Amino acid sequence: MHQPHPALRQPVTAADRVLLEIQRAIVEGDIAPGSKISEPELARRFDLSRAPLREALARLERCHLIERIPNAGARVVTLSTKGLLALYQLRENLEGLACKLAAEHMTEAEISEVRQLLDQHLSSQRVREGESYYQEAGDLDFHYRVILGSKNSYLINILCDELYYLVRMYRVQLGMNGPRVSRAFDEHKAIINAIANRDGELADLLMRRHIAASRRNIEQQLEQMGT
Amino acid sequence: MHQPHPALRQPVTAADRVLLEIQRAIVEGDIAPGSKISEPELARRFDLSRAPLREALARLERCHLIERIPNAGARVVTLSTKGLLALYQLRENLEGLACKLAAEHMTEAEISEVRQLLDQHLSSQRVREGESYYQEAGDLDFHYRVILGSKNSYLINILCDELYYLVRMYRVQLGMNGPRVSRAFDEHKAIINAIANRDGELADLLMRRHIAASRRNIEQQLEQMGT
DNA sequence: TAGGCGCATATTGTCGACAATCTATCTGGT
DNA sequence: ACCAGATAGATTGTCGACAATATGCGCCTA
């Protein structure tokens, strides 16, 4: 199996646990975008002191889910077309780079694991046609594997720890679905093939296109909401 | 003037102040690479409680200057050729992207400010020939301006807040100097010219080369030390 | 009536102490 | 002599209370 990245370690401390809960709540919209974060309220709600809660808030700021102002408190981020474009601009580049590096550094074993993963997704996809949750999880899992395959710890940290929760927030709250679901599988296949052929340049290009297509899909949803 | 980024805001809280002090101490080697961080000791040394200190440690982890393990404490990072390569691999891509975006988004006023900056550097450089500190500060200032010019907040955050302290640590501790000092100015000039011409592609390429050259320079120092 | 000032309230930042966990040493057994 | 387990010490994680700062309301003035 691929080695677990620090970010994916299971929670050991109270701050870890409450972080996961609040992360999920923000990503899924249980805590509304733009709403103010009240430390005393959250402390009561999760039944712990403010010390571990503040530790969790510091990490939430790190992954761009909240914004803090000294002596004034924290607010949940708001989703916007501008923010989406900035985020995906970065993703296209960083994940493109990750692909290029993965083509150089992934082992044959890791590559065949990813292929197995895609086959699993395909079969479960046929059964659960249209259920966006599985697509969501499966897509992220694929991207995670490729990113880890880059073997660049800074790159891994940025993509998996700092940007992905926000990416998920956009996808979950704007409802990722539609015809892209099946097309995404083919694109994943093409990318892993390029990596297997050690063609970093092509893998880079394909990943950029893959992410650009995903961006346009979400962008459409966002503008539909705005009107 | 260019708007101040959140990262460059002046310290308002005790945690902010102690963060700056420890950051400087680590970057300049006053606290040795690889050494263990003792919370009680640092609290005594800076004469404050552990609460703001832990807040500062959380941010030090964020900019990769320390590594924390739950229930076991924190250590200052160690410098290595592997780490340097991973860091600069990322920098080449991200700052290349920053240049491309800067070519699209920087105003004429911002561009002419950067040109003024370079002229200032050149004149002070002539006077203080060889003093690496000014080169250090001047080079970072140039890069900061271009990064801010990208107008992509996520990109700005990653480069200015999360990676640059580590970049400085490599440069300071391995002694950036030599013939590259004067050559770097010419490269900066070429980059801002490309941006002024709105040639994002060229600016990207030039910045990648500029950083790659800088990497080779530091790499050399590192291997020299290793032997 | 509109705008600015001052106070009351609530929230964030900081503190010192306690509980939980890890590290290092010492002891005992094989 | 070497390794395993237990124990003592130190360190990190968490707690509740206090201090400093910001927010919102009412009041006064022009």
Side-chain angles (χ1 to χ4, degrees):
Chain A
M1 295 297 283
H2 62 288
Q3 64 189 353
H5 184 261
L8 283 70
R9 77 160 194 267
Q10 69 177 12
V12 293
T13 180
D16 290 337
R17 284 188 293 275
V18 72
L19 170 66
L20 291 179
E21 294 198 65
I22 302 180
Q23 250 175 359
R24 189 208 54 76
I26 291 179
V27 167
E28 298 184 10
D30 286 358
I31 302 178
S35 64
K36 184 162 183 349
I37 297 281
S38 165
E39 292 185 9
E41 185 203 318
L42 282 182
R44 280 192 301 274
R45 180 163 154 190
F46 293 105
D47 193 45
L48 42 67
S49 139
R50 281 176 53 218
L53 181 67
R54 284 171 65 85
E55 171 82 28
L57 292 184
R59 298 192 213 167
L60 286 173
E61 185 182 25
R62 182 171 171 170
C63 57
H64 307 280
L65 291 182
I66 66 172
E67 287 166 357
R68 294 175 97 183
I69 298 171
N71 287 317
R75 305 193 80 86
V76 177
V77 296
T78 57
L79 305 183
S80 66
T81 304
K82 188 163 166 284
L84 177 74
L85 287 174
L87 180 61
Y88 270 66
Q89 225 165 26
L90 215 57
R91 264 195 81 195
E92 286 180 36
N93 258 271
L94 289 176
E95 292 211 35
L97 175 60
C99 274
K100 201 183 103 194
L101 296 177
E104 297 172 18
H105 299 310
M106 274 183 96
T107 66
E108 297 295 331
E110 287 169 335
I111 292 172
S112 81
E113 271 180 43
V114 174
R115 287 200 153 123
Q116 271 182 265
L117 191 76
L118 288 181
D119 289 341
Q120 284 173 25
H121 290 168
L122 187 60
S123 53
S124 71
Q125 162 64 14
R126 279 200 187 119
V127 176
R128 309 169 182 281
E129 193 74 45
E131 284 205 27
S132 61
Y133 174 77
Y134 288 92
Q135 159 59 14
E136 161 77 8
D139 184 65
L140 286 183
D141 203 355
F142 172 78
H143 285 259
Y144 263 61
R145 296 290 182 113
V146 173
I147 292 163
L148 291 175
S150 75
K151 309 284 171 78
N152 182 315
S153 63
Y154 300 112
L155 185 58
I156 293 169
N157 178 53
I158 290 173
L159 283 172
C160 295
D161 302 350
E162 296 176 5
L163 296 181
Y164 253 99
Y165 295 98
L166 193 54
V167 170
R168 281 193 55 215
M169 187 168 166
Y170 274 100
R171 295 172 62 153
V172 170
Q173 297 206 13
L174 298 179
M176 260 297 290
N177 46 23
R180 253 204 62 71
V181 174
S182 60
R183 191 171 295 182
F185 280 113
D186 297 334
E187 294 173 358
H188 288 173
K189 272 283 188 190
I191 290 168
I192 195 63
N193 283 342
I195 290 174
N197 291 335
R198 306 302 178 184
D199 188 344
E201 205 174 347
L202 180 61
D204 183 341
L205 176 74
L206 291 175
M207 181 58 95
R208 283 169 189 263
R209 282 192 191 168
H210 174 62
I211 292 172
S214 171
R215 184 201 66 214
R216 280 190 292 273
N217 195 40
I218 295 175
E219 208 171 349
Q220 217 171 351
Q221 298 278 349
L222 234 171
E223 303 200 342
Q224 218 166 328
M225 281 187 72
T227 56
Chain B
M1 295 296 283
H2 61 287
Q3 64 188 353
H5 184 260
L8 283 70
R9 78 160 193 267
Q10 69 179 13
V12 293
T13 179
D16 290 337
R17 284 189 292 274
V18 72
L19 170 66
L20 290 180
E21 293 199 65
I22 301 180
Q23 249 176 1
R24 189 209 56 76
I26 292 178
V27 167
E28 298 185 11
D30 286 358
I31 301 176
S35 64
K36 185 163 184 346
I37 297 280
S38 165
E39 292 184 8
E41 185 203 318
L42 282 183
R44 279 192 301 275
R45 180 164 155 189
F46 293 105
D47 192 45
L48 41 66
S49 140
R50 280 177 53 219
L53 181 68
R54 285 171 64 85
E55 171 82 28
L57 291 184
R59 298 192 212 168
L60 286 172
E61 185 182 24
R62 181 172 172 170
C63 55
H64 306 279
L65 291 182
I66 67 172
E67 287 167 356
R68 294 174 97 183
I69 298 172
N71 288 315
R75 306 193 80 86
V76 178
V77 295
T78 58
L79 305 184
S80 67
T81 304
K82 188 163 165 285
L84 177 75
L85 286 174
L87 180 61
Y88 270 66
Q89 224 164 27
L90 215 57
R91 264 195 81 195
E92 285 179 35
N93 258 272
L94 288 177
E95 292 210 35
L97 174 61
C99 273
K100 202 184 103 193
L101 296 177
E104 297 172 17
H105 300 311
M106 274 183 97
T107 65
E108 297 294 331
E110 287 169 335
I111 292 172
S112 81
E113 269 180 44
V114 174
R115 286 199 153 122
Q116 272 182 266
L117 191 76
L118 288 180
D119 289 340
Q120 285 173 24
H121 290 168
L122 187 60
S123 52
S124 70
Q125 161 64 14
R126 278 199 187 120
V127 177
R128 309 170 181 283
E129 194 72 45
E131 284 205 29
S132 61
Y133 174 76
Y134 289 92
Q135 161 58 13
E136 160 77 8
D139 184 65
L140 286 183
D141 203 355
F142 172 77
H143 286 259
Y144 264 61
R145 297 289 182 111
V146 173
I147 293 162
L148 291 175
S150 75
K151 308 285 170 78
N152 181 315
S153 63
Y154 300 111
L155 185 58
I156 293 169
N157 177 53
I158 289 173
L159 283 172
C160 295
D161 303 349
E162 296 176 5
L163 296 182
Y164 253 99
Y165 295 98
L166 193 55
V167 170
R168 281 193 55 215
M169 187 166 165
Y170 273 100
R171 294 172 62 152
V172 170
Q173 298 206 12
L174 299 178
M176 258 297 289
N177 47 24
R180 255 203 61 71
V181 174
S182 61
R183 192 171 295 183
F185 280 112
D186 297 335
E187 294 173 0
H188 288 174
K189 272 283 187 191
I191 289 168
I192 196 62
N193 283 342
I195 290 174
N197 292 334
R198 306 302 178 186
D199 188 343
E201 204 174 348
L202 180 60
D204 183 341
L205 176 73
L206 291 174
M207 181 58 97
R208 284 170 189 262
R209 282 192 191 169
H210 174 62
I211 292 172
S214 171
R215 185 202 65 214
R216 280 190 291 272
N217 195 40
I218 295 175
E219 208 171 351
Q220 217 170 352
Q221 299 278 348
L222 234 170
E223 304 201 341
Q224 219 165 330
M225 279 186 73
T227 55

